[in-house]
Amino acid sequence: MQLKKVLRIRSVLLAKTGLRIGMSRDQMAIGDLDNPVIRNPLTDEPYIPGSSLKGKLRYLLEWSLGGPYILEAKERHVYASPDPKDPVARIFGLAPENDEASLKVARERGPTRLLVRDAYLLEDSKRELERTAARGGLYTEIKQEVFIPRLGGNANPRTTERVPAGARFGVEMAYRVLDDLDEEYFQNYLLRALELLEVDGLGGHISRGYGQVYFLHPKKPWDAQEGLPLKERLLVEEIALGA
């Protein structure tokens, strides 16, 4: 087993509708938002954690494959395939159980192939979003929603923070290629997961219109890419490694 090359995948993630990737909070003061977005603690800018992006890609791929990925997943744990060639485990990784059989499969499967970086707002997108500070949020919008009790009573307002539609984030991933099967899986499974993400969505409240995203090639005019196949909207660079 030997690392032959790395495929670096770069793209721009466009939020076509409001995007909300939330953060947890231990306590909330009077007047605070009910549902804040996650922010970089050093810059206070919203960003997309690589773990959120990678987790959603894995989730969509597993649901598209179905079978044991869904039926045999344990509570809070993903399906641990005994097959070292399992595409989901190879691409996204899998922590082995502490027994000899699982460790043997893990050794044969090798390291996780896909690395997903945190995605940050592009500079031009930040300039466009600076005006949102005057409306109560820095690079974000505050959306008011109302929950209406079905059997009467007062409506309950709630506030949700989200990144406005039109925001753009720089996305970078690295895909390790150890053998020909990794090349095949890149084409057949990772690209499939990325396509599913555009059809489904990212972050919270997708069923209420949030989280529609679209990938754009970082070096092509953005307004000319609508409708192009996904492969033409990704910049894939092959990084060869020395012997």
Side-chain angles (χ1 to χ4, degrees):
M1 185 177 295
Q2 181 183 13
L3 180 62
K4 294 182 175 179
K5 62 183 177 183
V6 175
L7 299 178
R8 183 166 61 191
I9 307 145
R10 289 193 290 157
S11 187
V12 171
L13 185 147
L14 167 67
K16 299 195 81 170
T17 61
L19 177 63
R20 203 194 89 76
I21 297 179
M23 60 177 291
S24 61
R25 62 193 323 167
D26 297 329
Q27 57 185 350
M28 187 170 68
I30 295 174
D32 274 358
L33 289 168
D34 298 326
N35 302 298
V37 300
I38 190 167
R39 292 176 177 273
N40 182 329
L42 297 180
T43 63
D44 211 28
E45 297 169 4
Y47 73 104
I48 301 173
S51 57
S52 297
L53 187 52
K54 184 180 178 183
K56 188 57 185 284
L57 291 171
R58 180 179 192 141
Y59 168 90
L60 291 170
L61 182 59
E62 288 178 333
W63 272 97
S64 75
L65 296 173
Y69 295 105
I70 308 303
L71 299 176
E72 298 185 30
K74 300 176 183 176
E75 184 179 4
R76 303 186 65 184
H77 293 282
V78 298
Y79 167 62
S81 173
D83 182 1
K85 295 182 180 180
D86 177 79
V88 175
R90 282 173 72 110
I91 295 172
F92 294 96
L94 185 67
E97 300 289 339
N98 191 25
D99 61 73
E100 189 53 39
S102 297
L103 293 172
K104 182 175 182 296
V105 171
R107 283 193 290 269
E108 187 174 348
R109 182 173 60 240
T112 302
R113 305 307 196 265
L114 180 66
L115 287 69
V116 183
R117 318 286 187 203
D118 290 345
Y120 296 100
L121 278 169
L122 300 184
E123 288 299 321
D124 61 345
S125 193
K126 282 194 286 187
R127 288 194 293 272
E128 293 172 359
L129 293 172
E130 284 176 351
R131 70 188 68 174
T132 60
R135 297 197 292 268
L138 178 60
Y139 306 124
T140 60
E141 62 178 336
I142 309 302
K143 187 171 183 293
Q144 297 280 349
E145 298 182 351
V146 177
F147 170 73
I148 302 175
R150 301 298 184 269
L151 299 179
N154 295 328
N156 299 305
R158 60 190 176 201
T159 54
T160 298
E161 185 179 32
R162 65 180 192 175
V163 179
R168 296 178 296 275
F169 296 83
V171 170
E172 181 174 321
M173 307 178 190
Y175 183 82
R176 299 161 171 159
V177 176
L178 278 69
D179 54 33
D180 292 342
L181 193 59
D182 291 333
E183 301 260 22
E184 179 184 329
Y185 283 3
F186 176 82
Q187 297 293 334
N188 294 342
Y189 295 107
L190 182 55
L191 294 181
R192 177 180 179 178
L194 290 167
E195 289 175 336
L196 288 170
L197 186 68
E198 290 187 333
V199 175
D200 190 273
L202 180 66
H205 305 326
I206 292 172
S207 66
R208 285 187 265 153
Y210 292 41
Q212 183 184 7
V213 300
Y214 195 71
F215 291 105
L216 297 168
H217 195 291
K219 294 187 176 181
K220 295 180 180 178
W222 295 340
D223 56 0
Q225 297 186 49
E226 185 70 35
L228 291 179
L230 174 66
K231 291 178 68 173
E232 297 181 24
R233 292 182 277 115
L234 300 176
L235 174 59
V236 181
E237 301 167 302
E238 185 174 310
I239 302 173
L241 304 176

